Structure formats: structure tokens, C-alpha cells
């Protein structure tokens, strides 16, 4: 975004207080310190998410949790879901 704005003759001026305020504002490049903070948060969330999945969904391979998406049949094969059905069936299941 920063490069595209520069090529269009646009310049962003940012007024802020604090090292991490307004991180990711279009047209303002991230600092190395901001990149490190964002990556550390992403790593923390990923570790938390995958550990919860591994605890609650037995036999899920680590290769299954790399950010990809799956169609229902493949999600079932990978033990990510318990069944395939309609929205109405899910509502009926929850009500009973």
C-alpha cells in the first residue's frame, strides 16, 4: 500500500503517541519493532489455537493446522468436524 500511494503521489503523515499506536495504517511502513510484536502475537495465538484443537480433537495432524481451508468432506476426513448437514439440522440438534 505504501508503494502504491507513493506512486500515486500520495503521502501519509501520521500523528500519534506511543511506539505501537496506529501500527498498520495504510501508507505508513511498519518498523522492525512493530513487525516483531505482530509476529510474536500471531505466534502466540497460533500456539494457543493449535493446542486447544489438539486437546479437543484427537488425531488431528499438525499439517492440518497450517492456515489452509477445507471442504466439508475433507474436514471430516481430517477429524475437524463431527458431521455434515444443513443449517436446519444443526438447529434441530442444538434444540434437542
Amino acid at each position: 500500500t505504501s508503494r502504491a500511494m507513493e506512486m500515486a503521489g500520495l503521502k501519509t503523515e501520521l500523528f500519534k503517541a506511543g511506539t505501537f499506536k496506529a501500527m498498520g495504517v495504510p501508507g505508513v511502513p511498519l518498523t522492525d519493532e512493530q513487525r516483531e510484536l505482530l509476529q510474536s502475537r500471531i505466534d502466540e495465538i497460533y500456539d494457543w489455537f493449535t493446542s486447544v484443537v489438539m486437546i479437543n480433537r484427537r488425531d488431528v495432524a499438525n499439517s492440518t493446522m497450517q492456515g489452509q481451508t477445507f471442504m466439508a468432506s475433507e474436514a471430516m476426513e481430517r477429524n475437524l468436524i463431527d458431521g455434515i448437514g444443513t443449517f436446519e439440522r444443526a438447529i434441530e440438534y442444538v434444540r434437542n
Side-chain angles (χ1 to χ4, degrees):
T1 303
S2 299
R3 182 73 178 126
M5 290 178 71
E6 182 183 318
M7 290 174 64
L10 302 171
K11 180 181 177 186
T12 299
E13 287 194 52
L14 182 64
F15 299 90
K16 68 182 184 89
T19 303
F20 300 106
K21 291 288 186 177
M23 235 180 344
V25 169
V28 180
L30 293 171
T31 66
D32 289 341
E33 189 177 18
Q34 290 170 335
R35 280 188 185 88
E36 288 174 20
L37 176 68
L38 289 170
Q39 188 61 57
S40 71
R41 292 296 185 261
I42 289 167
D43 293 343
E44 185 179 349
I45 292 165
Y46 173 77
D47 290 343
W48 169 80
F49 175 77
T50 55
S51 68
V52 169
V53 171
M54 297 299 263
I55 289 167
N56 292 290
R57 306 288 311 179
R58 291 191 173 87
D59 300 324
V60 174
N62 190 332
S63 61
T64 295
M65 294 181 289
Q66 298 302 312
Q68 67 274 51
T69 58
F70 302 103
M71 300 301 288
S73 59
E74 189 175 4
M76 188 108 166
E77 290 170 11
R78 292 173 178 263
N79 198 34
L80 292 172
I81 60 175
D82 295 322
I84 301 171
T86 64
F87 178 76
E88 291 77 16
R89 178 67 187 110
I91 296 297
E92 181 184 322
Y93 178 81
V94 171
R95 285 186 178 154
N96 295 324

